[in-house]
Amino acid sequence: MAHEVSSDLYARAISLMPGGVSSPVRAVKPFPLYISRGQGGRIFDEDGESYIDTVLGFGPLILGHAHPSVVRALQEQAADGTLYGAPHRKEVELAEMVNSHFPSMEMMRFVSSGTEATMHALRLARGCTGHDIIVKMDGGFHGAHDSVLVRSGSGALEHGVPDSLGVPGEVAGNTLVTDYNDPVGLSEMLDAHRGQVAAVVMEPMLGNVGPVTPNPGYLKEVRRITEEHGVLLMFDEVITGLRLSLGGAQKAYGVRPDITVLGKVLGGGLPMGAFGASREIMSNISPVGKVYQAGTFSGNPMSLTAGIETIKELDRIGLDVLNAEGERLRSDLARSVRKTGIKATVRGEASMFQVFFGDGPLQNSRQIMTCDRERYMRYYRSMLRFGVYLPPSQFETCFLCTAHEREDLRAISDAFAQSLEALQ
Ligand SMILES: Cc1ncc(COP(=O)(O)O)c(C=O)c1O
């Protein structure tokens, strides 16, 4: 596959955009594929090749590309205008839908991305508690803004350090980082900073180092510890919301956070985010309260239309079939791993999966980072040759959508088995 058109487009892009891309994880050596079209569970590149898509826009496209009812509703909405800068019916409709699946979100705000949602939600947590410190999990990703572009410092009880140039040390110093799946570490951290912490923000299931599921009882223990310390618990369900279950991880694991952040599937493929909490907490948001939040495109009718149509369809079909396909695929992949004896571990839940080229417990980011990156990239290239489009990093989550057909899943399993043979 020469991919001449992609190569030419990249040669033009590289002088116009850093790394030739609009977001860093899309950069692949020697050049990324340029996508011309998505249809159902497939994408097509500019050179005319087609692939089974397991990236799905990094998660939002749970119904696949260009789902007919989403497309139809968007066409109708576009004809009625794309932006009003004023309240409209669909905000009320989507808020009611979200509240029915996430009862913890008694009130909410719609924004335009997951990044925006976590940024405002953290300001809310700080504003309503009067505390500046937040705690995040090592390897947890909450968007590209200063408070959360932070990694752990040297000691377990150290304040975080910037994970990007340009993040002020004082901002990073207000973020503490602890290990996922380590309730004792969290409890000690909160003890050491009693009365200073606004919130613990976490992906209930890590998704941005690949999928890392919570150990049994872990999330309930986090809930107990945060309550005991009088600290707000914020679930960033940008990936898990409307995906792990329709009510997200909070429904699946029976844990009610104080603040919830949604994105990805909520926007049905258009830019979208939301944050919500109890009426008491949300009444701190302007214009009712003193925590400021605003956005020109917040709650725009196009994103809301795609979100409403997506949730309507999910309500109609449920997630059981899709999740069962995920389970089947993971067990097929794990069988191939056992057959070849290669050092790899298949992880995930519901319609999410990833293959880690490593073994051991893989319960937190540090353990995941020991996996073999070079081997993953060889696997990635091999899968591409077999027509399966994976994220170009092991530390991302692969997704299935309702448009994937049984043959697509079989093709993924077959490609995987053959790729592993070649990696021996
Ligand atoms: C858990 C989580 N939170 C927040 C974000 C940021 O969302 P967005 O890319 O829409 O800004 C992401 C993006 O991948 C995410 O996975």
Side-chain angles (χ1 to χ4, degrees):
M1 289 190 255
H3 293 121
E4 278 168 21
V5 183
S6 283
S7 166
D8 288 351
L9 284 167
Y10 179 68
R12 287 160 61 191
I14 194 77
S15 65
L16 299 166
M17 290 172 263
V21 290
S22 297
S23 191
V25 76
R26 300 176 199 169
V28 192
K29 287 196 172 75
F31 55 86
L33 296 180
Y34 278 71
I35 304 304
S36 59
R37 193 163 73 83
Q39 192 64 57
R42 292 193 159 257
I43 47 167
F44 300 77
D45 71 17
E46 288 276 356
D47 291 277
E49 305 279 347
S50 109
Y51 308 87
I52 300 166
D53 185 10
T54 71
V55 178
L56 295 167
F58 287 94
L61 300 169
I62 197 164
L63 302 179
H65 297 268
H67 186 278
S69 59
V70 177
V71 171
R72 202 175 314 116
L74 283 172
Q75 283 167 338
E76 284 168 13
Q77 179 59 53
D80 283 341
T82 57
L83 189 63
Y84 304 139
H88 57 98
R89 173 183 291 273
K90 287 181 180 171
E91 292 172 298
V92 185
E93 287 177 6
L94 185 60
E96 284 170 352
M97 289 168 112
V98 170
N99 170 254
S100 76
H101 288 299
F102 294 83
S104 69
M105 298 174 78
E106 291 174 355
M107 295 182 100
M108 68 203 75
R109 263 287 155 87
F110 296 121
V111 294
S112 298
S113 69
T115 295
E116 238 192 280
T118 61
M119 186 181 77
H120 289 127
L122 286 170
R123 185 181 305 130
L124 170 63
R126 286 169 161 155
C128 74
T129 59
H131 302 317
D132 286 342
I133 294 180
I134 58 161
V135 173
K136 77 180 279 287
M137 302 295 155
D138 187 28
F141 180 70
H142 307 290
H145 59 94
D146 291 359
S147 289
V148 285
L149 279 180
V150 175
R151 60 188 158 78
S152 47
S154 40
L157 297 181
E158 286 285 314
H159 289 253
V161 295
D163 204 12
S164 161
L165 285 182
V167 173
E170 312 85 75
V171 175
N174 276 321
T175 301
L176 308 177
V177 185
T178 187
D179 276 338
Y180 183 75
N181 269 330
D182 177 12
V184 175
L186 174 66
S187 184
E188 286 173 0
M189 183 170 268
L190 294 182
D191 277 343
H193 297 276
R194 208 170 261 280
Q196 301 166 48
V197 178
V200 171
V201 54
M202 64 187 298
E203 295 173 78
M205 173 186 140
L206 292 186
N208 286 282
V209 287
V212 179
T213 49
N215 288 340
Y218 169 62
L219 293 176
K220 286 206 156 83
E221 190 56 7
V222 170
R223 179 66 284 188
R224 190 191 63 72
I225 293 165
T226 46
E227 245 158 31
E228 185 185 296
H229 286 80
V231 168
L232 296 174
L233 176 59
M234 185 188 303
F235 273 2
D236 177 347
E237 297 229 42
V238 166
I239 290 182
T240 51
L242 297 157
R243 161 94 50 192
L244 188 61
S245 82
L246 288 178
Q250 51 196 271
K251 173 90 187 287
Y253 292 106
V255 176
R256 188 178 172 112
D258 299 298
I259 303 179
T260 298
V261 177
L262 299 176
K264 298 210 189 246
V265 173
L266 178 69
L270 265 71
M272 179 74 142
F275 63 99
S278 65
R279 283 196 181 83
E280 188 192 348
I281 292 178
M282 289 301 284
S283 61
N284 288 285
I285 293 284
S286 56
V288 182
K290 293 186 172 161
V291 176
Y292 195 66
Q293 180 275 330
T296 300
F297 296 100
S298 291
N300 76 79
M302 293 299 279
S303 296
L304 268 73
T305 296
I308 287 171
E309 288 308 314
T310 298
I311 298 177
K312 262 194 210 160
E313 183 64 7
L314 292 176
D315 280 340
R316 194 179 69 76
I317 60 178
L319 286 177
D320 289 354
V321 173
L322 179 63
N323 292 351
E325 295 294 1
E327 186 67 50
R328 183 200 307 265
L329 180 66
R330 284 189 298 276
S331 70
D332 284 354
L333 302 184
R335 194 171 321 112
S336 293
V337 169
R338 283 195 300 277
K339 246 193 218 158
T340 52
I342 216 159
K343 195 169 138 186
T345 308
V346 179
R347 284 288 162 80
E349 197 169 329
S351 52
M352 295 170 272
F353 68 100
Q354 185 52 295
V355 181
F356 294 112
F357 288 94
D359 52 15
L362 304 181
Q363 288 175 352
N364 61 38
S365 171
R366 266 180 304 112
Q367 291 166 353
I368 293 283
M369 290 303 149
T370 61
C371 293
D372 187 337
R373 294 158 201 240
E374 190 268 331
R375 202 169 228 190
Y376 179 87
M377 288 316 288
R378 278 166 53 214
Y379 154 71
Y380 162 82
R381 290 195 190 93
S382 169
M383 292 293 276
L384 206 56
R385 282 193 292 276
F386 286 113
V388 181
Y389 189 75
L390 299 174
S393 163
Q394 183 170 207
F395 310 121
E396 293 288 346
T397 295
C398 304
F399 298 96
L400 296 180
C401 67
T402 57
H404 282 135
E405 296 182 0
R406 189 52 70 72
E407 301 105 78
D408 295 326
L409 302 183
R410 210 169 299 127
I412 296 174
S413 297
D414 289 350
F416 182 69
Q418 294 182 65
S419 296
L420 283 198
E421 290 293 340
L423 285 178
Q424 295 263 47

